[in-house]
Amino acid sequence: MARENIVKSALAGFFGTFTSRNSAWHGTWLLGHLLREADRAEWDLLQPPRAYEKLSAMDYAETMAAQKFQRQLAKVDATALVKEATLVLERVEDDGLLAWATKLGVMDREPYAIEVTATAVVTTASGESEKPFVISETFFVYRAERE
């Protein structure tokens, strides 16, 4: 169980880092640039390392997510414990969005809600079963720039 909790902690560390306001794209919060043209994205967090391509926010975010997650696992020597890991971003309906956007005065910036879900599946210490760890949170975002 202790080995599995290491993965749970690494997943939480990654999730906090990826969704933080410090994850930026051209100086503004990265999540505010994602899912502008799509309703859903799913990324493999164990994909092989590759160079950052800063041509699109989505590609940058996918590359950064995989690298950050793998770094978290490497810090605690837990890379071999994770069988699969994914990050899913999905536009969702949220009752609080309208009130939030109105209060901030950002209705003209096309606000929307993104549910971010990170999942890591580990093989238990006995090796007989798999155990998923999931972290999910909804974020309200809007276009950063005024046109």
Side-chain angles (χ1 to χ4, degrees):
M1 182 67 170
R3 290 171 13 120
E4 297 162 10
N5 283 336
I6 290 171
V7 173
K8 185 178 179 181
S9 295
L11 184 66
F14 155 73
F15 191 85
T17 301
F18 180 79
T19 60
S20 80
R21 298 280 177 177
N22 292 327
S23 289
W25 171 256
H26 296 297
T28 58
W29 189 34
L30 178 63
L31 286 185
H33 296 276
L34 305 179
L35 297 186
R36 288 188 177 178
E37 282 91 38
D39 289 334
R40 187 174 195 281
E42 183 171 345
W43 302 325
D44 176 7
L45 293 175
L46 298 177
Q47 63 181 272
R50 61 185 173 132
Y52 283 109
E53 292 184 30
K54 295 192 176 189
L55 301 175
S56 98
M58 290 289 283
D59 187 66
Y60 173 77
E62 179 180 6
T63 304
M64 181 188 61
Q67 289 182 8
K68 285 183 181 288
F69 180 69
Q70 291 173 33
R71 259 189 244 129
Q72 287 287 342
L73 289 179
K75 282 182 190 177
V76 294
D77 195 28
T79 304
L81 300 177
V82 178
K83 181 177 180 178
E84 63 184 72
T86 58
L87 183 67
V88 176
L89 302 121
E90 190 165 16
R91 276 188 186 236
V92 294
E93 296 295 322
D94 191 291
D95 295 336
L97 178 61
L98 182 61
W100 170 84
T102 302
K103 181 178 178 182
L104 288 180
V106 295
M107 286 303 292
D108 62 325
R109 294 190 188 186
E110 303 166 14
Y112 55 99
I114 297 178
E115 183 176 58
V116 180
T117 304
T119 304
V121 178
V122 299
T123 302
T124 59
S126 66
E128 296 174 7
S129 63
E130 297 175 356
K131 183 173 185 177
F133 292 105
V134 180
I135 298 175
S136 186
E137 190 171 337
T138 301
F139 298 89
F140 295 145
V141 298
Y142 56 87
R143 280 185 303 112
E145 66 281 343
R146 291 188 190 266
E147 295 179 21

